[in-house]
Amino acid sequence: MLLDWVGSNKMDPTHLAVMEAAGVEVRKFHKPVWYSLARMNNRTHRKVLVADGKVGFTGGVGIAGLWTGDAQDPQHWRDTHFRAEGPVVAQMQAVFLDNWIKATGVVPCI
Protein backbone atom coordinates (compact mmCIF):
# COMPACT_ATOMS: atom_id res chain seq x y z
CA MET A 1 0.00 0.00 0.00
CA LEU A 2 1.33 3.37 -0.98
CA LEU A 3 0.24 6.37 1.09
CA ASP A 4 0.67 10.05 0.44
CA TRP A 5 3.05 11.23 3.18
CA VAL A 6 1.19 14.45 3.96
CA GLY A 7 -2.32 13.12 3.44
CA SER A 8 -1.77 10.11 5.70
CA ASN A 9 0.06 12.03 8.42
CA LYS A 10 -2.95 12.04 10.75
CA MET A 11 -3.82 8.40 10.07
CA ASP A 12 -4.16 6.24 13.16
CA PRO A 13 -0.90 4.22 13.34
CA THR A 14 -2.76 1.19 14.71
CA HIS A 15 -4.50 0.83 11.31
CA LEU A 16 -1.10 0.58 9.65
CA ALA A 17 0.20 -1.84 12.27
CA VAL A 18 -2.75 -4.19 11.70
CA MET A 19 -2.20 -4.10 7.94
CA GLU A 20 1.56 -4.70 8.27
CA ALA A 21 0.95 -7.59 10.68
CA ALA A 22 -1.32 -9.12 8.01
CA GLY A 23 1.51 -8.89 5.46
CA VAL A 24 0.68 -5.61 3.71
CA GLU A 25 3.75 -3.67 2.54
CA VAL A 26 3.08 -0.05 3.52
CA ARG A 27 5.15 2.83 2.13
CA LYS A 28 4.72 6.58 2.33
CA PHE A 29 5.26 8.61 -0.83
CA HIS A 30 6.65 12.15 -1.30
CA LYS A 31 8.09 12.87 2.12
CA PRO A 32 8.24 16.66 2.52
CA VAL A 33 11.74 18.10 2.67
CA TRP A 34 12.78 21.68 3.34
CA TYR A 35 14.04 22.37 -0.17
CA SER A 36 10.74 21.41 -1.80
CA LEU A 37 8.20 22.97 0.57
CA ALA A 38 6.95 25.21 -2.24
CA ARG A 39 5.91 22.05 -4.10
CA MET A 40 4.41 20.26 -1.08
CA ASN A 41 0.93 20.21 -2.60
CA ASN A 42 2.23 18.78 -5.90
CA ARG A 43 1.46 15.26 -4.82
CA THR A 44 -0.68 12.44 -6.09
CA HIS A 45 -4.15 12.00 -4.71
CA ARG A 46 -4.72 8.75 -6.55
CA LYS A 47 -6.77 6.15 -4.79
CA VAL A 48 -6.26 2.92 -6.68
CA LEU A 49 -6.62 -0.70 -5.63
CA VAL A 50 -5.89 -3.51 -8.08
CA ALA A 51 -7.10 -6.77 -6.60
CA ASP A 52 -5.81 -9.39 -9.00
CA GLY A 53 -4.88 -7.69 -12.25
CA LYS A 54 -8.45 -8.15 -13.49
CA VAL A 55 -10.49 -6.12 -11.00
CA GLY A 56 -9.60 -2.65 -9.79
CA PHE A 57 -11.18 0.01 -7.62
CA THR A 58 -10.81 3.77 -7.63
CA GLY A 59 -12.46 6.72 -5.97
CA GLY A 60 -12.66 7.46 -2.29
CA VAL A 61 -10.80 5.10 -0.01
CA GLY A 62 -10.59 6.74 3.38
CA ILE A 63 -9.03 4.55 6.08
CA ALA A 64 -10.41 6.08 9.25
CA GLY A 65 -13.53 5.91 11.39
CA LEU A 66 -14.79 9.13 9.78
CA TRP A 67 -15.33 7.24 6.52
CA THR A 68 -17.62 4.60 8.03
CA GLY A 69 -20.81 6.59 7.64
CA ASP A 70 -23.04 8.04 4.97
CA ALA A 71 -22.50 11.75 5.77
CA GLN A 72 -25.30 11.56 8.31
CA ASP A 73 -23.45 14.00 10.60
CA PRO A 74 -20.12 15.91 10.73
CA GLN A 75 -18.39 12.89 12.33
CA HIS A 76 -19.25 10.58 9.41
CA TRP A 77 -18.06 11.30 5.90
CA ARG A 78 -19.07 9.72 2.63
CA ASP A 79 -17.16 9.13 -0.58
CA THR A 80 -17.78 7.24 -3.79
CA HIS A 81 -15.78 4.21 -4.87
CA PHE A 82 -15.91 2.52 -8.29
CA ARG A 83 -15.20 -1.04 -9.41
CA ALA A 84 -13.50 -1.44 -12.80
CA GLU A 85 -12.82 -4.45 -15.00
CA GLY A 86 -11.13 -4.86 -18.36
CA PRO A 87 -8.13 -3.10 -19.94
CA VAL A 88 -8.40 -0.06 -17.66
CA VAL A 89 -7.24 -2.23 -14.73
CA ALA A 90 -3.82 -2.69 -16.37
CA GLN A 91 -3.57 1.08 -16.70
CA MET A 92 -4.47 1.51 -13.03
CA GLN A 93 -1.82 -1.04 -12.11
CA ALA A 94 0.78 0.77 -14.24
CA VAL A 95 0.05 4.09 -12.50
CA PHE A 96 0.43 2.46 -9.09
CA LEU A 97 3.63 0.72 -10.16
CA ASP A 98 5.13 4.00 -11.35
CA ASN A 99 4.55 5.60 -7.95
CA TRP A 100 5.72 2.47 -6.10
CA ILE A 101 9.03 2.47 -7.96
CA LYS A 102 9.54 6.17 -7.18
CA ALA A 103 8.70 5.63 -3.50
CA THR A 104 10.74 2.49 -2.91
CA GLY A 105 13.17 2.06 -5.77
CA VAL A 106 12.03 -1.57 -5.87
CA VAL A 107 9.66 -3.29 -8.28
CA PRO A 108 6.93 -5.23 -6.41
CA CYS A 109 5.99 -8.79 -7.29
CA ILE A 110 2.68 -8.57 -9.12
Side-chain angles (χ1 to χ4, degrees):
M1 181 166 67
L2 192 57
L3 300 171
D4 174 71
W5 194 284
V6 174
S8 65
N9 192 38
K10 294 183 181 180
M11 188 175 178
D12 184 343
T14 58
H15 293 314
L16 297 177
V18 168
M19 287 185 249
E20 289 175 331
V24 176
E25 286 186 61
V26 178
R27 300 289 184 272
K28 290 192 172 188
F29 187 54
H30 278 168
K31 181 178 181 177
V33 289
W34 67 269
Y35 53 83
S36 67
L37 291 179
R39 296 187 321 250
M40 186 173 359
N41 205 35
N42 294 355
R43 51 190 220 271
T44 181
H45 292 253
R46 294 179 184 128
K47 296 177 180 174
V48 173
L49 180 137
V50 176
D52 58 4
K54 297 178 183 178
V55 177
F57 298 89
T58 189
V61 191
I63 302 174
L66 291 168
W67 294 101
T68 61
D70 195 22
Q72 69 268 29
D73 56 50
Q75 288 75 40
H76 293 91
W77 302 345
R78 183 189 173 281
D79 210 340
T80 303
H81 200 63
F82 299 92
R83 177 186 170 126
E85 295 182 30
V88 71
V89 176
Q91 294 170 336
M92 293 165 68
Q93 194 165 0
V95 166
F96 172 82
L97 185 59
D98 179 58
N99 287 149
W100 183 267
I101 290 169
K102 289 175 183 170
T104 66
V106 177
V107 179
C109 297
I110 52 176

